[in-house]
Amino acid sequence: MSSTAPISRVTRTKEEAKASYDRMSRFYDLLAGLAEKKYKEMGLYQLNAREGETVLEIGFGTGECLKALAQSVGSSGKVFGIDLSHGMLEVAREKIAKAGLSGSVELKRGDAAELPFEDNFFDAIYSSFTLELFDTPEIPVVLNECQRVLRLGGRICVVAMSKKEKSGLAVRLYEWAHDKFTKYVDCRPIYVQEALDEAGFQTQGVTELSMFGLPVDIVLAKK
Protein backbone atom coordinates (compact mmCIF):
# COMPACT_ATOMS: atom_id res chain seq x y z
CA MET A 1 0.00 0.00 0.00
CA SER A 2 1.26 3.47 -0.78
CA SER A 3 -0.16 5.21 2.31
CA THR A 4 2.23 5.87 5.15
CA ALA A 5 0.32 4.73 8.25
CA PRO A 6 0.78 0.94 8.49
CA ILE A 7 -2.11 -1.50 8.60
CA SER A 8 -2.22 -3.85 11.58
CA ARG A 9 -1.44 -7.46 10.73
CA VAL A 10 -3.79 -10.39 11.29
CA THR A 11 -1.94 -12.99 13.34
CA ARG A 12 -4.65 -15.57 14.01
CA THR A 13 -4.70 -18.51 11.62
CA LYS A 14 -7.52 -19.25 9.19
CA GLU A 15 -8.34 -22.38 11.17
CA GLU A 16 -8.75 -20.22 14.26
CA ALA A 17 -10.93 -17.81 12.29
CA LYS A 18 -13.06 -20.68 10.97
CA ALA A 19 -13.51 -22.12 14.47
CA SER A 20 -14.44 -18.71 15.86
CA TYR A 21 -17.09 -18.00 13.22
CA ASP A 22 -18.41 -21.56 13.46
CA ARG A 23 -19.01 -20.97 17.18
CA MET A 24 -20.75 -17.62 16.74
CA SER A 25 -22.71 -18.46 13.57
CA ARG A 26 -26.02 -19.04 15.40
CA PHE A 27 -25.70 -15.76 17.30
CA TYR A 28 -23.96 -13.52 14.76
CA ASP A 29 -27.10 -11.66 13.71
CA LEU A 30 -27.63 -10.65 17.34
CA LEU A 31 -23.96 -9.88 18.02
CA ALA A 32 -23.07 -7.82 14.96
CA GLY A 33 -25.78 -8.17 12.35
CA LEU A 34 -27.86 -5.24 13.52
CA ALA A 35 -24.85 -2.91 13.77
CA GLU A 36 -23.70 -3.79 10.23
CA LYS A 37 -27.16 -3.89 8.60
CA LYS A 38 -27.34 -0.26 7.44
CA TYR A 39 -23.89 -0.33 5.82
CA LYS A 40 -24.53 -3.62 4.07
CA GLU A 41 -27.82 -2.37 2.66
CA MET A 42 -26.12 0.78 1.36
CA GLY A 43 -23.48 -1.36 -0.32
CA LEU A 44 -26.13 -3.53 -1.96
CA TYR A 45 -27.90 -0.42 -3.21
CA GLN A 46 -24.69 0.86 -4.80
CA LEU A 47 -23.84 -2.50 -6.38
CA ASN A 48 -27.33 -2.49 -7.93
CA ALA A 49 -27.54 -6.17 -8.89
CA ARG A 50 -29.86 -6.58 -11.87
CA GLU A 51 -32.27 -9.11 -13.29
CA GLY A 52 -30.45 -12.00 -14.96
CA GLU A 53 -26.98 -11.23 -13.58
CA THR A 54 -24.53 -13.71 -12.06
CA VAL A 55 -23.28 -12.33 -8.74
CA LEU A 56 -20.75 -13.49 -6.14
CA GLU A 57 -20.77 -12.60 -2.45
CA ILE A 58 -17.47 -13.10 -0.63
CA GLY A 59 -17.90 -13.76 3.08
CA PHE A 60 -21.68 -14.18 3.06
CA GLY A 61 -21.95 -14.86 6.81
CA THR A 62 -25.51 -15.63 7.87
CA GLY A 63 -26.87 -14.95 4.38
CA GLU A 64 -28.88 -11.73 4.78
CA CYS A 65 -27.26 -10.09 1.76
CA LEU A 66 -27.58 -13.30 -0.27
CA LYS A 67 -31.35 -13.03 0.03
CA ALA A 68 -31.35 -9.45 -1.24
CA LEU A 69 -29.03 -10.32 -4.11
CA ALA A 70 -31.12 -13.33 -5.12
CA GLN A 71 -34.27 -11.22 -5.16
CA SER A 72 -32.50 -8.62 -7.33
CA VAL A 73 -31.22 -11.05 -9.98
CA GLY A 74 -34.50 -12.95 -10.12
CA SER A 75 -35.15 -16.42 -11.49
CA SER A 76 -33.09 -15.71 -14.62
CA GLY A 77 -29.99 -14.81 -12.56
CA LYS A 78 -27.79 -16.70 -10.12
CA VAL A 79 -26.05 -15.80 -6.85
CA PHE A 80 -22.97 -17.63 -5.61
CA GLY A 81 -21.49 -17.27 -2.15
CA ILE A 82 -18.22 -18.31 -0.56
CA ASP A 83 -17.38 -18.31 3.15
CA LEU A 84 -14.67 -19.92 5.27
CA SER A 85 -17.07 -21.00 8.02
CA HIS A 86 -19.13 -24.17 7.80
CA GLY A 87 -21.35 -22.87 10.60
CA MET A 88 -22.14 -19.70 8.67
CA LEU A 89 -22.85 -21.75 5.55
CA GLU A 90 -25.41 -23.88 7.39
CA VAL A 91 -27.18 -20.84 8.86
CA ALA A 92 -27.22 -19.11 5.46
CA ARG A 93 -28.49 -22.23 3.71
CA GLU A 94 -31.39 -22.52 6.16
CA LYS A 95 -32.23 -18.84 5.73
CA ILE A 96 -32.16 -19.08 1.93
CA ALA A 97 -34.36 -22.19 1.97
CA LYS A 98 -36.88 -20.54 4.29
CA ALA A 99 -37.09 -17.59 1.88
CA GLY A 100 -37.77 -19.97 -1.02
CA LEU A 101 -34.61 -18.88 -2.87
CA SER A 102 -32.56 -22.09 -2.87
CA GLY A 103 -32.88 -22.45 -6.64
CA SER A 104 -31.19 -19.08 -7.21
CA VAL A 105 -28.31 -19.43 -4.74
CA GLU A 106 -25.29 -21.73 -4.67
CA LEU A 107 -23.05 -21.70 -1.58
CA LYS A 108 -19.49 -22.92 -1.22
CA ARG A 109 -17.21 -23.20 1.81
CA GLY A 110 -13.77 -22.00 0.85
CA ASP A 111 -11.05 -19.37 0.84
CA ALA A 112 -11.49 -16.21 -1.23
CA ALA A 113 -7.73 -16.20 -1.85
CA GLU A 114 -8.41 -19.18 -4.16
CA LEU A 115 -11.84 -18.65 -5.70
CA PRO A 116 -13.23 -21.90 -7.20
CA PHE A 117 -14.70 -20.21 -10.27
CA GLU A 118 -13.78 -19.80 -13.92
CA ASP A 119 -12.28 -16.62 -15.36
CA ASN A 120 -14.72 -13.85 -16.36
CA PHE A 121 -17.63 -15.66 -14.71
CA PHE A 122 -19.41 -12.91 -12.72
CA ASP A 123 -21.21 -9.69 -13.61
CA ALA A 124 -20.78 -8.33 -10.08
CA ILE A 125 -19.03 -9.09 -6.78
CA TYR A 126 -20.12 -7.96 -3.33
CA SER A 127 -18.25 -8.15 -0.02
CA SER A 128 -19.04 -6.53 3.31
CA PHE A 129 -16.92 -6.55 6.47
CA THR A 130 -14.81 -9.39 5.08
CA LEU A 131 -11.75 -7.98 3.26
CA GLU A 132 -10.39 -6.54 6.52
CA LEU A 133 -10.32 -10.08 7.98
CA PHE A 134 -7.48 -11.07 5.63
CA ASP A 135 -3.86 -10.50 6.61
CA THR A 136 -2.27 -7.56 4.82
CA PRO A 137 -0.29 -9.57 2.21
CA GLU A 138 -3.43 -11.55 1.32
CA ILE A 139 -5.64 -8.55 0.52
CA PRO A 140 -4.14 -8.06 -2.98
CA VAL A 141 -4.33 -11.83 -3.54
CA VAL A 142 -8.08 -11.81 -2.85
CA LEU A 143 -8.64 -8.76 -5.06
CA ASN A 144 -6.56 -10.27 -7.88
CA GLU A 145 -8.84 -13.30 -7.69
CA CYS A 146 -11.81 -10.94 -7.96
CA GLN A 147 -10.22 -9.41 -11.06
CA ARG A 148 -9.83 -12.86 -12.55
CA VAL A 149 -13.42 -14.05 -12.06
CA LEU A 150 -15.12 -10.72 -12.88
CA ARG A 151 -16.13 -9.99 -16.46
CA LEU A 152 -14.77 -6.93 -18.26
CA GLY A 153 -16.89 -3.98 -17.22
CA GLY A 154 -18.18 -5.91 -14.20
CA ARG A 155 -18.77 -4.21 -10.85
CA ILE A 156 -17.35 -4.82 -7.39
CA CYS A 157 -18.60 -3.24 -4.18
CA VAL A 158 -16.60 -3.53 -0.96
CA VAL A 159 -17.90 -2.40 2.43
CA ALA A 160 -15.10 -2.30 5.00
CA MET A 161 -13.65 -0.51 7.99
CA SER A 162 -11.36 2.10 6.52
CA LYS A 163 -7.88 3.22 7.57
CA LYS A 164 -7.35 6.98 7.48
CA GLU A 165 -4.14 8.99 7.77
CA LYS A 166 -5.34 10.56 11.01
CA SER A 167 -6.95 8.11 13.41
CA GLY A 168 -9.40 9.17 16.12
CA LEU A 169 -9.49 7.76 19.62
CA ALA A 170 -12.03 5.06 18.72
CA VAL A 171 -9.77 3.76 15.93
CA ARG A 172 -6.65 3.82 18.11
CA LEU A 173 -8.43 1.89 20.86
CA TYR A 174 -9.84 -0.58 18.35
CA GLU A 175 -6.44 -1.19 16.74
CA TRP A 176 -4.90 -1.65 20.21
CA ALA A 177 -7.56 -4.27 21.00
CA HIS A 178 -6.93 -5.93 17.63
CA ASP A 179 -3.19 -6.16 18.30
CA LYS A 180 -3.68 -7.49 21.84
CA PHE A 181 -6.67 -9.79 21.30
CA THR A 182 -6.52 -10.66 17.62
CA LYS A 183 -8.36 -13.98 18.07
CA TYR A 184 -11.40 -12.06 19.27
CA VAL A 185 -11.01 -8.69 17.49
CA ASP A 186 -9.86 -10.16 14.20
CA CYS A 187 -10.73 -7.43 11.69
CA ARG A 188 -9.11 -3.99 11.50
CA PRO A 189 -9.27 -0.85 9.33
CA ILE A 190 -7.65 -1.14 5.89
CA TYR A 191 -7.06 1.14 2.88
CA VAL A 192 -10.14 0.06 0.94
CA GLN A 193 -10.03 2.26 -2.16
CA GLU A 194 -6.26 2.03 -2.51
CA ALA A 195 -6.40 -1.76 -2.35
CA LEU A 196 -8.95 -1.83 -5.17
CA ASP A 197 -7.00 0.73 -7.22
CA GLU A 198 -3.77 -1.23 -6.85
CA ALA A 199 -5.56 -4.41 -7.98
CA GLY A 200 -6.44 -2.63 -11.23
CA PHE A 201 -10.07 -1.73 -10.56
CA GLN A 202 -11.48 1.66 -11.57
CA THR A 203 -13.16 3.42 -8.67
CA GLN A 204 -16.64 4.66 -9.48
CA GLY A 205 -17.55 6.09 -6.10
CA VAL A 206 -16.62 6.17 -2.42
CA THR A 207 -19.07 6.71 0.43
CA GLU A 208 -17.43 7.54 3.76
CA LEU A 209 -19.43 6.66 6.88
CA SER A 210 -18.85 6.01 10.58
CA MET A 211 -19.86 3.10 12.83
CA PHE A 212 -19.38 3.77 16.54
CA GLY A 213 -16.59 6.19 15.68
CA LEU A 214 -14.88 3.75 13.29
CA PRO A 215 -14.64 4.89 9.64
CA VAL A 216 -16.47 2.63 7.17
CA ASP A 217 -16.03 3.06 3.42
CA ILE A 218 -18.31 1.74 0.69
CA VAL A 219 -16.28 1.58 -2.50
CA LEU A 220 -17.86 0.81 -5.87
CA ALA A 221 -15.46 -0.02 -8.69
CA LYS A 222 -15.44 -1.75 -12.06
CA LYS A 223 -13.07 -3.93 -14.03
Side-chain angles (χ1 to χ4, degrees), residues 21-83:
Y21 282 95
D22 282 348
R23 285 193 299 270
M24 73 172 78
S25 59
R26 294 286 168 181
F27 313 103
Y28 189 84
D29 284 341
L30 292 174
L31 294 171
L34 291 175
E36 296 174 350
K37 187 175 188 295
K38 175 178 76 172
Y39 309 93
K40 291 182 174 184
E41 288 178 348
M42 292 179 70
L44 288 169
Y45 177 79
Q46 293 194 25
L47 183 70
N48 189 26
R50 300 161 192 147
E51 184 86 21
E53 287 191 321
T54 303
V55 180
L56 170 66
E57 181 177 9
I58 294 174
F60 55 75
T62 62
E64 279 300 315
C65 295
L66 288 171
K67 288 198 304 180
L69 289 168
Q71 288 162 353
S72 294
V73 303
S75 58
S76 59
K78 186 83 172 181
V79 176
F80 292 79
I82 187 166
D83 199 289

Side-chain angles (χ1 to χ4, degrees), residues 94-160:
E94 291 171 11
K95 196 174 287 188
I96 293 299
K98 189 175 181 180
L101 295 167
S102 298
S104 300
V105 179
E106 183 174 323
L107 303 182
K108 295 179 181 291
R109 194 188 74 78
D111 188 347
E114 298 179 66
L115 291 173
F117 304 105
E118 298 176 1
D119 295 0
N120 309 307
F121 188 73
F122 295 103
D123 298 297
I125 297 175
Y126 178 75
S127 181
S128 60
F129 300 108
T130 297
L131 192 60
E132 61 268 54
L133 294 170
F134 288 89
D135 193 15
T136 309
E138 275 202 309
I139 291 174
V141 176
V142 172
L143 292 177
N144 285 338
E145 278 290 273
C146 291
Q147 270 278 3
R148 179 181 66 79
V149 301
L150 193 63
R151 292 173 183 151
L152 185 63
R155 313 177 308 286
I156 180 170
C157 184
V158 176
V159 182

Side-chain angles (χ1 to χ4, degrees), residues 151-206:
R151 292 173 183 151
L152 185 63
R155 313 177 308 286
I156 180 170
C157 184
V158 176
V159 182
M161 287 194 297
S162 178
K163 179 81 170 172
K164 306 297 181 182
E165 282 304 309
K166 293 184 179 180
S167 298
L169 178 60
V171 174
R172 294 198 298 272
L173 287 172
Y174 188 93
E175 289 181 328
W176 175 85
H178 168 80
D179 290 339
K180 295 294 183 182
F181 310 105
T182 190
K183 289 183 182 180
Y184 307 100
V185 186
D186 56 353
C187 54
R188 79 290 189 214
I190 62 172
Y191 293 110
V192 190
Q193 181 184 354
E194 288 191 15
L196 285 160
D197 289 346
E198 291 175 12
F201 290 102
Q202 303 171 45
T203 298
Q204 302 297 293
V206 180

